[in-house]
């Protein structure tokens, strides 16, 4: 089976809808985070989903009944997937998965953040989090493009789960390196939407084709 | 100096504004979480703040620049405090603190969740998270009423930081036990707003007066 790779556009920008419409042919999904959703309202998820699959990057990190409520709101507003933290423990992740299954939705679990601080408390438990996510039947993982050696390590434990890799561009990670290390998709924000978004997305998509 | 204790009402309910108005004389602050804010819009924070201080329980858990954006939205909409996770590392917590200081706002750091899963990955690093929060100058901690022995342990390390303790009532924790273990405030949700909210809040406030 041919390996599949691609781009997830992180739309942490007020101009998200216009950019999504412009770049949709070059990207596989759109990722939205709280700054956009809190500013524009949850309806932005549904609006964006008319241009492609939306991943609600709510980094869910609460007790099970609240985590489930947050996931429910994401899916009922048209999200295809949610991102949850794993360090909160298996009961919270399972609560999110239970909601997702009712919507035929997907759940991606953060292993360690792409920021430097992600190494302070998360790197030490990231491998156990991968194991938990795999055992629960999660769809994928979030692993940092800023530390490709960590993607490589977590890839070994990830089984069939997909790896989405943020931290490309402004945070210092390189898309090609992340893919070579084992990421399936790179998550790219500012390097797409700052400047000429269409041209940035087109070039990145071309670049990725040459990697695998 | 007399020890100060009290109640924070967690308004994880669609009827939040009415309940806040009814119970305000018995509680010290209102805590709002994403389910309410995503359903009602961020303006609910400002509306609630007319009845008392609002703690935005956004359990911020992202890379620094996104964490800062989330905190900014909370404070500019009238929140008095935000709740952030600590396991994301010191750079994210510091980013939130920097925003808070511009609003004269407060930052509370989650040590370990009150749910059972909170013990899987968080309990093992909770003491280091307390140390980090204290060194950064955070205002307080979130520690679980469901495990008073953990409140007692974290209290020893907390210095002058306040401890807010969720998990009282529906989750099985007992307010008096949490206070005796060292919590300054108990966070109570369903045990207040399910049933007669005014009577529930009044009785709880009376009960707490007898504890210290």
């Amino acid at each position: 089976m041919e390996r599949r790779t691609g781009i997830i556009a992180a739309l942490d920008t007020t101009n998200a809808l216009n950019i999504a419409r412009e770049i949709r042919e070059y990207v596989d999904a759109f990722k939205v985070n709280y700054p956009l959703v809190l500013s524009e309202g949850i309806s932005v998820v549904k609006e964006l989903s008319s241009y492609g699959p939306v991943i609600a990057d709510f980094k869910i990190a609460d007790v099970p009944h609240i985590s489930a409520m947050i996931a429910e709101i994401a899916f009922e507003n048209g999200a295809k997937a949610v991102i949850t933290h794993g360090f909160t423990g298996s009961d919270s992740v399972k609560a999110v998965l239970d909601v997702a299954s009712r919507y035929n939705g997907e759940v991606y679990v953060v292993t360690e953040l792409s920021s430097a601080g992600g190494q302070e408390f998360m790197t030490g438990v990231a491998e156990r989090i991968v194991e938990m996510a795999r055992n629960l039947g999660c769809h994928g993982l979030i692993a940092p493009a800023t530390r490709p050696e960590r993607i490589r390590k977590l890839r070994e434990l990830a089984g069939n789960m997909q790896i989405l890799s943020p931290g490309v561009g402004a945070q210092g990670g390189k898309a090609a390196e992340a893919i070579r290390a084992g990421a399936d998709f790179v998550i790219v924000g500012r390097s797409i939407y700052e400047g000429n978004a269409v041209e940035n997305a087109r070039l990145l998509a071309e670049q990725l084709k040459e990697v695998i």
Side-chain angles (χ1 to χ4, degrees), chain A residues 65-154:
Chain A
H65 79 281
I66 300 286
S67 293
M69 289 166 83
I70 295 171
E72 184 89 39
I73 291 172
F75 287 118
E76 75 187 5
N77 281 281
K80 175 66 187 166
V82 297
I83 294 176
T84 186
H85 269 293
F87 74 92
T88 48
S90 52
D91 52 3
S92 290
V93 177
K94 183 158 187 320
V96 171
L97 270 170
D98 288 346
V99 174
S101 71
R102 286 194 279 106
Y103 288 90
N104 201 21
E106 296 174 355
V107 176
Y108 294 85
V109 178
V110 181
T111 58
E112 49 187 272
L113 290 178
S114 53
S115 40
Q119 297 169 282
E120 294 173 18
F121 301 106
M122 300 185 79
T123 299
V125 296
E127 288 155 48
R128 283 171 56 209
I129 286 175
V130 172
E131 191 183 14
M132 175 192 70
R134 201 184 55 202
N135 290 340
L136 289 172
C138 295
H139 303 79
L141 302 170
I142 310 295
T146 46
R147 297 188 287 278
E149 77 283 3
R150 294 296 299 158
I151 298 179
R152 195 165 279 119
K153 179 70 195 167
L154 300 174

Side-chain angles (χ1 to χ4, degrees), chain A residues 29-68:
Chain A
F30 304 111
K31 184 176 84 68
V32 294
N33 201 321
Y34 281 126
L36 183 69
V37 170
L38 292 175
S39 302
E40 305 279 319
I42 187 71
S43 61
V44 75
V45 173
K46 188 151 279 168
E47 289 163 2
L48 274 170
S49 69
S50 68
Y51 301 123
V54 175
I55 302 172
D57 181 9
F58 288 171
K59 291 195 176 65
I60 302 174
D62 217 309
V63 296
H65 79 281
I66 300 286
S67 293

